[in-house]
Amino acid sequence: MTAMVKAEGVHKSYGPVQVLKGIDLEVAPREVFCLIGPSGSGKSTFLRCINHLEKINGGRLYVDGELVGYRQQGNKLYELKDREVAAQRRDIGMVFQRFNLFPHMTAVENVMEAPVQVKRETKSVARERALRLLDRVGLADKAGNYPSQLSGGQQQRVAIARALAMEPKLMLFDEPTSALDPELVGDVLDVMRSLAEEGMTMIVVTHEMGFAREVGDSLVFMDNGVVVEAGNPRDILTNPQHERTKSFLSKVL
């Protein structure tokens, strides 16, 4: 079976600063893959490399068997044209810490926008799906509201619906609850839990250890640009093997 995501020796630097130092990992189809670690460990950078928002400096990244951002001829890599990268990104949904909704558009218009603009769908088809997705994330009654009229948790659920509107085969979540008030976190995690139950392949950078334990199939602890420990979330969270993992978890659990 082809891995949904495969990283082989992925390196990423900003000038002299090495952020990723040879990441190797695989994410299976339908898997919920959680990434934890301290700030600055490279988790979010790695996530952004998966859809080529950040260009890697070494190694290979594949999504569903296809090389991301490059094509290979012989031993050389050639960067894809913007249009080709955009086509790859259509299959990858991404939800950020900040919701990045268009403030001048209603919830339903935000969800409709990409299918209409990118896939050239008719507005009626896009609107029908958008309303269905808003219902799915528990916001059927907020379709006509603008982002400023929604709570942070509601905005994040609209952002999830917007990512799902492109019918991706992979969803990336970059600390989707870290900007939210504590009482709003549960609603967002419930939506993510239901996606997991439906078999969506998900990579989740998170501080929510309960979510990782309950919903995650795999857990990776990253620090300083490397994978320190990887395995079953329940095993790692209850019995970490590495001193660095123990130290980190003692502060967050």
Side-chain angles (χ1 to χ4, degrees):
M1 183 170 61
T2 303
M4 182 58 79
V5 177
K6 186 174 186 180
E8 297 177 345
V10 170
H11 284 78
K12 172 66 184 174
S13 301
Y14 297 103
V17 181
Q18 272 195 304
V19 182
L20 300 175
K21 303 172 184 173
I23 302 292
D24 295 296
L25 54 80
E26 279 193 28
V27 181
R30 304 175 71 86
E31 186 173 12
V32 178
F33 192 96
C34 295
L35 284 170
I36 65 168
S39 293
S41 58
K43 309 180 301 295
S44 295
T45 299
F46 177 68
L47 210 63
R48 292 168 68 85
C49 289
I50 294 171
N51 62 4
H52 207 58
L53 285 173
E54 298 285 355
K55 299 173 186 180
I56 63 177
N57 302 113
R60 302 278 190 280
L61 257 175
Y62 300 88
V63 171
D64 205 14
E66 191 179 342
L67 194 59
V68 172
Y70 300 90
R71 63 187 161 79
Q72 187 162 345
Q73 283 183 319
N75 290 326
K76 291 198 75 173
L77 287 183
Y78 297 89
E79 193 165 1
L80 296 179
K81 296 184 174 76
D82 289 348
R83 188 187 64 227
E84 296 168 301
V85 172
Q88 287 186 331
R89 275 198 199 123
R90 286 180 200 179
D91 292 330
I92 305 171
M94 185 151 185
V95 178
F96 300 89
Q97 269 180 330
R98 300 278 164 199
F99 330 117
N100 300 338
L101 298 177
F102 295 115
H104 61 289
M105 292 184 181
T106 62
V108 72
E109 288 167 347
N110 265 285
V111 179
M112 287 168 59
E113 179 71 2
V116 171
Q117 297 299 331
V118 179
K119 287 188 169 178
R120 301 282 180 244
E121 276 186 8
T122 65
K123 286 193 172 178
S124 60
V125 168
R127 183 179 176 81
E128 195 177 314
R129 186 194 298 110
L131 290 170
R132 201 164 61 239
L133 287 169
L134 287 173
D135 184 40
R136 182 173 168 185
V137 299
L139 293 173
D141 58 331
K142 303 292 185 188
N145 288 38
Y146 290 92
S148 60
Q149 299 169 310
L150 301 172
S151 72
Q154 290 168 337
Q155 289 186 60
Q156 192 60 296
R157 284 184 281 155
V158 173
I160 293 172
R162 179 180 59 183
L164 292 173
M166 290 295 282
E167 301 180 312
K169 55 190 171 190
L170 168 67
M171 284 283 282
L172 308 176
F173 291 89
D174 189 5
E175 300 190 17
T177 57
S178 64
L180 301 179
D181 292 336
E183 70 267 26
L184 303 176
V185 167
D187 291 337
V188 173
L189 293 179
D190 285 345
V191 170
M192 293 169 65
R193 208 173 269 117
S194 73
L195 285 177
E197 285 165 5
E198 290 165 24
M200 174 64 77
T201 311
M202 297 158 61
I203 304 181
V204 185
V205 172
T206 187
H207 295 296
E208 302 291 339
M209 300 301 155
F211 176 86
R213 184 188 293 110
E214 292 163 45
V215 185
D217 298 304
S218 299
L219 182 74
V220 159
F221 171 66
M222 279 178 70
D223 187 31
N224 201 22
V226 298
V227 172
V228 176
E229 196 163 337
N232 179 289
R234 288 154 287 287
D235 294 345
I236 291 176
L237 292 172
T238 52
N239 187 24
Q241 299 303 299
H242 198 285
E243 285 306 320
R244 183 66 189 91
T245 318
K246 288 178 187 171
S247 163
F248 173 76
L249 291 174
S250 71
K251 297 184 178 79
V252 298
L253 287 179

